[in-house]
Amino acid sequence: MPRLSGKFDKCTGCKRCLLACSQEMTGDLFNPRLARMCIQEVSAGLAHTPVVCAQCENAFCATSCPADAIYNSDGVWIIDPDRCTGCGVCVDACPLRVIVTYNGKAAKCDLCGGAPRCVDACAFSALELA
Amino acid sequence: MSYGWMGNLLHVNLSDGSIKEVPLNDRIKEDFVGGKGFGARLLYDMVPESADAFSEHNALMFLTGPLTGTLAPAMRGCAVTKSPLTGTFVDSYFGGDFAHEIKFAGYDGIIITGRSPGPVYLSVTPEGIELKDARDLWGLDTLKTAARVREAVGAHHAPKVACIGPAGENKVRFALINCDPNRHAGRGGCGAVMGAKHLKAVVVAGNKGVRVKRGSGFMEAVNGALAEMKDNPYILAFRNDGTPGSVPFADLEGLLPSYNYRGGSFKQAHKLDPAAQKSEFWLRDAACFSCPIGCSKVGMLKRGRHRGLVTDVVEYESAGMIGSNLGIGDTKAVAYLTYLCDALGMDSISAGGVVGFYLECAERGVWGNPDHRFGDPSLVERLLLEIAHRSSETGDLLAEGVKRASARIGRGAADWAVHVKGLETPAWGVRGAPGMGLAYMTGDRGGCHQRAFPILYEVGGEYWKSAPVKRLEIEGKAEIVSELQNYLAGLDTLVKCDFGQYGISATSYARMLSEATGVDMTPSDLSTVGERIWNLVRLFNCREGFGRQHDSLPRRFTSEPLPDGPAAGHMLDEESCGKMLDEYYRLRGWDAEGYPLPDTLQRLGLMQGG
């Protein structure tokens, strides 16, 4: 499975990726806080860094999940909504802060099944699936 | 369930500290849509006739539109109030994140009335809405204020701040509101009204989502708009060069003010253009929230006194007003002086206007230090500080704007006070572009280039209704101006970005709006909304005593021929202005004094309650 990555040298901080992610997860809502990624501002606004799920080898989210709801499928960590209790441990365990809770369940980047909306939404080529 | 709109306004009365939610009714949504439209309706209804802009009777509003906060490309917000600079209605637009955050907090706008006894800031977060003590923030510049307020609320909320600097606190009549991240509701003194209310900042963070009615139709409309923008030459130019891309054009065409508008070109213009800015500091493109253009540039000055300063692109208006208009041909200096205006919280257009006015006074020996000259960045820095803090006689005088300052100085100073209705004009000379002159004369907030920009047709070569436009012709310009004003006022309800609209068609705007709200509107409906707004704002201004005699141009443009450029020798004499105005009033359905006629108001549904 390819990896998603963000480039601070291209990112303009427009956050269209976050809105697309939010709409993808919720179906009809726009709010960057509902995105399963974030944009970090660094050096007094000198740059913005897109932060995306690293699909870690040692995934703290999966390891910390008390319900064993996070499993690996072909290199992508997926949350099983039937097992997820929405306890929020994975949200706090993720050092990148890219897991959110929505409607009582945890939600994380699943690469939109291989065609991420965020990459498509970026007009500045700051997100790459490679 | 509300679509596009969040359905509520937040009303905070600073006098008694009361906070309440006011539901939007269907009438205001359909007649006025949002942004400028809501502002026009609410200001007319809420602010009593002849209220002092600095009194508790004035209202200050932060308004969004139904497309703000969504994937609709390049949307913004606006601040609306009665201007302390002009005494008219003023709407001032800002990009960045702040307007979108108002939607995420669950509101279509925040209305501030009354006046707090002491400095406060308004905090709107998922934890609650409250007024907080801002005594320890009073005196801080805008950038420090925003950082401190964000810290107080907590980074985990990712809060967005709108705040004032010392200029707003000291009621400098052209003080701005700095909106995260360093975008500005710049014109007309909205920041001074905020200062008069003792409101240092508004901070907002919200967990609510903006919902659209027809999701797939909305995304089709958004993708249509994006496709239009993709190869549009104006959009590409904004992407590559930002607004200073206009510097070489304006210089060549004699439209770039120099030395307090005496000239229309500047020998050192090439030192302010995109190439100069790139070589001195640009590092990357920056975009406002949900904007695919990225016309802003961010970088770090690499040479000179201010080496290491992280700052934004010197926008065209600042390059013109702080650069050429003050005789400063040095990107580094202008970048710093513009940064200083932002940090002190003053509109760089008006600041360049008042300093240019002062320098001409000094040069003529009419006021101030006769040794003061154009082209001196250190002097301009001192003057900006004195204005923001009102810390000298000259600074205190210039803080009032050129109209009041020239009246107080006398000795003919009004002859070189360049303003319309008290608003210092922006960096576009009009002697070689009569339609632009009419746009200034009739601008609802005074001398403004954003209500209509006929230069695009008169000088830029764009066809108007499939026909070329003669640059210096007087006849026919009124039609261009009035129709552009209506169209753009319609889009200012959404709330559109001035640059985005170069690439997005009327059809796309109407489609995105219809799909988002479920209320179907055509491009022509949007223009009608714009015309309704334009007339209601005119009623507000007429109620404040404005009429034909105020729809005029400064003497510099009517009586002193342009010395340079392709339109050298031209000016807009009183007779030409009168002809354009007659034609304009006729097209608008206003009487010869500029008052809307009953039939016009009837047609636009403005007869009752307005």
Side-chain angles (χ1 to χ4, degrees), chain B residues 336-347:
Chain B
Y336 170 70
L337 293 170
T338 305
Y339 166 89
L340 188 61
C341 284
D342 295 349
L344 294 169
M346 302 195 283
D347 172 22

Side-chain angles (χ1 to χ4, degrees), chain A residues 14-16 31 33 46, chain B residues 71 97 101 208 284 290:
Chain A
C14 81
K15 307 184 182 82
R16 288 182 69 80
N31 185 323
R33 289 170 187 77
L46 186 62
Chain B
L71 272 173
D97 299 81
E101 204 60 44
K208 300 201 168 91
R284 67 161 179 122
S290 195

Side-chain angles (χ1 to χ4, degrees), chain B residues 180-192:
Chain B
D180 260 340
N182 204 35
R183 316 315 294 169
H184 309 102
R187 305 237 66 200
C190 298

Side-chain angles (χ1 to χ4, degrees), chain B residues 387-409:
Chain B
I387 292 167
H389 296 285
R390 290 186 181 265
S391 58
S392 69
E393 191 186 0
T394 294
D396 191 38
L397 182 70
L398 296 179
E400 295 291 292
V402 297
K403 183 183 166 194
R404 285 176 175 81
S406 65
R408 210 169 304 163
I409 291 169

